[in-house]
Amino acid sequence: WRLSGNKQLRELMDGLGETGAEAKTFIDGVFDDLDPQKTTQLDLWDSQFGLRDVGLSTQARRDRLAGAWQLTGGQAPRYIQDTLQGSGFDVYVHEWWEPGSEPAVGVKSCTVARNPLVYLQRSGTSATYVVECGEDVAQCGEDVAELGNSDTPTGYALVNKVVRTERGVLAQCGEDVAQCGEALASCGNFVTFVDFSLDYVVPFDTEKWPYILYIGGATFGDSATVDSKRRDEFEALCLKICPSQQWLGIMINYS
């Protein structure tokens, strides 16, 4: 037998050999779709994991997908922290007690719970700033006089995302605008609905303070920064992976 490249039978076999090349390449590429950093089906994977389009870059989406992909369960603070960071959030998880207050081995004593009233707002109101730009008091050099300092904690309690809907009223009884005679100015009239998140008030009861897990900056008390476009995603992930019996003290700046 002698091989020859110009015989029709050889050309037929060569042609048949190339028939499955594209299929082979495609099948080989499917394996890459198991890697969040290589997949060509990013939209489908985002849909699979319920990750919404919030305007992230492709790389940020890959990192977010990798974090969701690695969820294996567990409620240890380190696992929660690693999961949040793996999803692209530069945040840290802190326990409920004051470090250094732990009893020595063999000693029956209680640790000291952190006071959430120092770090978390008691309602959904914003912080009350005591120093503004240009004020004389901002120049005195005291800690409280630092520009932008506030006398209200900026953190908030995250328990559940329960939303209530109310009517957006345009005119109240007795207001001047209600007397102008236009149809929309009728007393109590409304043309829209407004959604409000249910507010959870930080408890004064010290026995409940050990049930608060804190999420914020690397140093406890400092705030971390999260993209405001990812706030809903961040809060939903926190509620998904954190122990259901605990409230979350969220110390985050959304920008």
Side-chain angles (χ1 to χ4, degrees):
W1 294 86
R2 290 184 300 174
L3 296 178
S4 176
N6 58 1
K7 289 187 176 181
Q8 290 184 342
L9 182 59
R10 174 60 183 270
E11 292 175 352
L12 174 62
M13 293 303 177
D14 287 343
L16 292 175
E18 292 296 323
T19 301
E22 292 184 1
K24 179 178 180 299
T25 300
F26 175 79
I27 293 172
D28 289 344
V30 171
F31 185 77
D32 286 339
D33 283 328
L34 296 177
D35 185 347
Q37 300 297 341
K38 295 181 180 179
T39 179
T40 60
Q41 304 297 326
L42 197 53
D43 289 341
L44 291 178
W45 281 120
D46 279 352
S47 177
Q48 173 70 21
F49 283 93
L51 304 174
R52 296 186 301 169
D53 181 6
V54 292
L56 299 178
S57 66
T58 299
Q59 186 57 53
R61 290 176 63 195
R62 291 187 183 280
D63 293 340
R64 180 179 66 171
L65 175 61
W69 210 310
Q70 294 169 4
L71 294 179
T72 58
Q75 295 185 337
R78 183 54 186 266
Y79 169 78
I80 296 171
Q81 178 176 295
D82 288 347
T83 301
L84 292 171
Q85 292 180 355
S87 297
F89 301 110
D90 186 18
V91 299
Y92 295 81
V93 176
H94 302 276
E95 289 280 16
W96 57 269
W97 65 79
E98 294 285 357
S101 66
E102 304 92 333
V105 177
V107 177
K108 294 183 178 181
S109 179
C110 296
T111 56
V112 178
R114 283 175 164 139
N115 183 352
L117 302 175
V118 176
Y119 308 102
L120 308 179
Q121 301 173 29
R122 294 209 73 239
S123 65
T125 57
S126 59
T128 302
Y129 290 96
V130 295
V131 179
E132 302 291 348
C133 287
E135 293 182 354
D136 293 337
V137 70
Q139 312 301 322
C140 71
E142 297 179 2
D143 292 340
V144 72
E146 292 178 0
L147 177 61
N149 196 30
S150 68
D151 60 2
T152 303
T154 56
Y156 64 96
L158 178 63
V159 183
N160 285 303
K161 300 200 72 171
V162 179
V163 176
R164 71 178 190 275
T165 302
E166 297 182 359
R167 296 184 299 179
V169 179
L170 294 178
Q172 303 287 349
C173 289
E175 292 182 343
D176 292 339
V177 69
Q179 311 302 324
C180 69
E182 296 180 3
L184 291 179
S186 301
C187 178
N189 193 36
F190 69 97
V191 294
T192 187
F193 289 92
V194 181
D195 291 334
F196 296 91
S197 296
L198 182 62
D199 189 24
Y200 291 89
V201 179
V202 178
F204 280 117
D205 186 354
T206 58
E207 293 185 359
K208 295 181 179 179
W209 291 356
Y211 295 96
I212 299 178
L213 191 67
Y214 298 88
I215 300 176
T219 301
F220 181 77
D222 291 346
S223 296
T225 300
V226 169
D227 189 336
S228 59
K229 293 180 295 186
R230 300 188 67 186
R231 176 169 181 168
D232 287 341
E233 177 192 349
F234 170 72
E235 292 181 335
L237 180 57
C238 288
L239 291 172
K240 178 180 180 180
I241 65 177
C242 290
S244 59
Q245 76 273 13
Q246 289 184 293
W247 283 25
L248 301 180
I250 303 297
M251 294 177 287
I252 300 293
N253 291 321
Y254 297 100
S255 62

